Every structure is written in C-alpha cells, then in structure tokens.
Amino acid sequence: FVVEPVAPAQAPELVVDRRGVEARLALAGRPPRVNFWATWCKPCREELPELLALAAEPQLGVDVVAVSVDETWAVIDHFFDGRVPASVVRAPHEAVRAEFGVETLPASFLVDAAGVVRFRFAGAQPWSSSMARDWLASVPRTAR
C-alpha cells in the first residue's frame, strides 16, 4: 500500500460526463477518493472492484468518484455488464486528467472536506488489505 503525501492544493474543478450530460462535481464538503481508471487498463480492472467495495462500507466513510478515461460509455457499460455504479463517471476531456496531474493509470487522490488534495496513490492499491483499511481508519473523517 503506497501513499504519497502531496503539497496541499485546491482540487481542480472536476468536469465529468454522467451518461452523456456534462456535470461539475464539487469536491469540497464531500471528501472523496478520486480514482482515474480505464477498462483497457489491467491494473485498473483489478483495483476498481476493491475500491468500489470500500465505498459500499458506510463505517469506513470512504466516498469514491471513479473517473473513467475511456472514450465512450459503451465500453464502460460492457465492463459492468450494463450495471454501472452511480459513483462511476467519465472524463469528457483529457484536460480533466491533466489538471489532476495523472500520468499513469490507475491513479487515486484523497481530497479533504475543504476540497484540498492531500494524498496520492500511484498505481493499483490493495484497498481490501488490512494495511489500507487501517490507514483509512486513521485518517480524520474531514480528510476522507
């Protein structure tokens, strides 16, 4: 489990595509883990189910925004057999990934309640591991 503290900076505005409708996600007030992934990325395909499972455990207080960089919803739909979780969105422009400084996939960021990026997780992480769960439990609720 690799966590990289980053110099605190306001999270870029996250413009995403929710089934053909562009939306701006306000990250302040709702501390999420923003995960950039793609269906063609093998490590992403292995990591994403664990990350989404964590978000389904309310006692952990982990919110996830899974930002697919795939070009179309058709491949995302196929990946999820037509049952795409509500937390999955699509990056409609490459600028979304660039603004977060994503160079390789998967890449995750922890944003605090003030909308400030605090941590980066480069590469696929073992989200269901005891190390990851213990770390998440140790992070103050306002920073999750």
Side-chain angles (χ1 to χ4, degrees):
F1 184 68
V2 180
V3 180
E4 302 170 356
V6 295
Q10 193 67 35
E13 184 174 57
L14 192 55
V15 178
V16 297
D17 175 349
R18 289 189 182 265
R19 306 301 243 159
V21 177
E22 279 193 19
R24 297 184 189 288
L25 294 184
L27 298 179
R30 177 180 162 230
R33 180 161 334 290
V34 178
N35 175 261
F36 289 86
W37 68 286
T39 59
W40 46 261
C41 164
K42 187 175 193 279
C44 299
R45 291 191 314 264
E46 293 169 357
E47 175 192 53
L48 190 62
E50 285 187 35
L51 191 55
L52 293 175
L54 275 184
E57 295 183 39
Q59 72 276 15
L60 285 177
V62 176
D63 196 4
V64 173
V65 177
V67 183
S68 171
V69 299
D70 287 290
E71 291 193 21
T72 67
W73 274 104
V75 294
I76 300 167
D77 280 332
H78 180 73
F79 178 78
F80 287 104
D81 292 326
R83 295 180 302 276
V84 180
S87 59
V88 173
V89 296
R90 193 178 71 79
H93 313 288
E94 283 189 31
V96 173
R97 191 170 49 189
E99 287 172 359
F100 264 84
V102 175
E103 295 174 3
T104 60
L105 297 175
S108 293
F109 301 85
L110 186 133
V111 179
D112 71 14
V116 175
V117 178
R118 296 290 177 176
F119 298 97
R120 173 185 164 89
F121 308 85
Q125 301 296 318
W127 294 108
S128 61
S129 72
S130 60
M131 182 183 290
R133 295 172 77 78
D134 290 348
W135 187 86
L136 287 169
S138 74
V139 175
R141 286 233 181 256
T142 57
R144 282 194 222 177

